[in-house]
Amino acid sequence: MARLSSELQRFFFEEEPPSQVNLADFLLLAKERIFGFLFVILSLPSALPVPAPGYSVPFGILIFLLAIQLIVGSKTPWLPQRMLNHPIKLETVQKVLKAGIPWLRRIEAIARPRLVYICTTLPGRVTLGSAISLMAISMMIPIPGTNTLPAMGIFVTGFGLMEDDGAISLGGLVLCVMGGILTTSILMALMWGGSSLLDVIKTWLGR
């Protein structure tokens, strides 16, 4: 099977795509790796230091829906037809992909099937889906700092899922935990007048 980076390069740069594309176009590239593929594609704009305003919330919603389906054991994902067919400017997609494809190639260079049970068994997929769903919720929070690291966790976890590479997915779970801690800290700081998560823990411990 062709690498994801090669498929994206071919479809969006070497061929002649229309001036507007949609998620349905991406599904044509996914084949049997569809869940992991969609997690990677939908998290990519928020995971990169590339301005892509307006995508964290709708893509976070889609990622959450997909994560729930992964948890319940769905083999074929369902997405609202309206979102699948929503047009996206080709220039926006190409801008994100120009920054993202080099990162994809770096991960592809080390990806291979290993610890496959993490990506293929029900307990493994429930664990991955649960972490991704929580990070998707974080992506939907309209507060600076709650999007990028959670999206990176989804991106890496989804890539491992796509390649049946449990080691990479475990690395993604570590990023998800870090993203969860960061988001919780930011929310606590807002709720308790600037106190960080560390400050709250120290208070609880009586230090």
Side-chain angles (χ1 to χ4, degrees):
M1 184 185 299
R3 292 290 195 178
L4 173 58
S5 61
S6 300
E7 289 287 286
L8 294 174
Q9 179 72 32
R10 175 187 60 79
F11 187 87
F12 289 101
F13 295 98
E14 296 174 3
E15 297 182 356
E16 295 185 5
S19 59
Q20 289 187 327
V21 296
N22 52 44
L23 285 178
D25 292 320
F26 285 97
L27 294 184
L28 296 175
L29 306 176
K31 301 176 183 177
E32 70 268 19
R33 54 190 177 182
I34 191 163
F35 271 104
F37 183 95
L38 287 173
F39 288 137
V40 168
I41 292 299
L42 292 172
S43 63
L44 187 58
S46 298
L48 293 170
V50 177
Y55 287 101
S56 290
V57 173
F59 282 7
I61 293 172
L62 291 176
I63 290 171
F64 182 81
L65 291 175
L66 289 167
I68 296 301
Q69 294 173 62
L70 185 67
I71 291 171
V72 301
S74 297
K75 299 298 182 183
T76 304
W78 173 88
L79 291 173
Q81 202 65 33
R82 182 178 178 181
M83 290 187 171
L84 276 176
N85 295 323
H86 183 74
I88 306 172
K89 289 184 178 180
L90 177 63
E91 292 81 5
T92 301
V93 175
Q94 289 179 330
K95 184 177 181 180
V96 172
L97 291 181
K98 281 181 180 178
I101 286 177
W103 289 100
L104 281 172
R105 287 175 175 159
R106 290 186 183 99
I107 300 178
E108 287 171 346
I110 62 173
R112 63 182 186 276
R114 52 188 165 178
L115 302 177
V116 175
Y117 63 90
I118 293 174
C119 302
T120 57
T121 64
L122 182 59
R125 290 167 78 89
V126 168
T127 301
L128 299 180
S130 299
I132 289 172
S133 65
L134 292 174
M135 293 303 97
I137 293 172
S138 182
M139 281 180 60
M140 290 183 265
I141 300 173
I143 299 174
T146 62
N147 306 134
T148 303
L149 187 54
M152 290 173 62
I154 295 171
F155 175 87
V156 176
T157 304
F159 192 92
L161 184 64
M162 182 178 67
E163 298 288 339
D164 283 340
D165 191 331
I168 288 180
S169 285
L170 287 176
L173 289 180
V174 172
L175 289 175
C176 288
V177 171
M178 294 170 60
I181 292 172
L182 176 62
T183 298
T184 302
S185 182
I186 291 172
L187 294 177
M188 283 186 169
L190 293 174
M191 292 173 62
W192 282 299
S195 297
S196 68
L197 178 60
L198 182 59
D199 293 330
V200 174
I201 292 174
K202 287 180 178 179
T203 301
W204 287 345
L205 294 176
R207 296 180 180 177

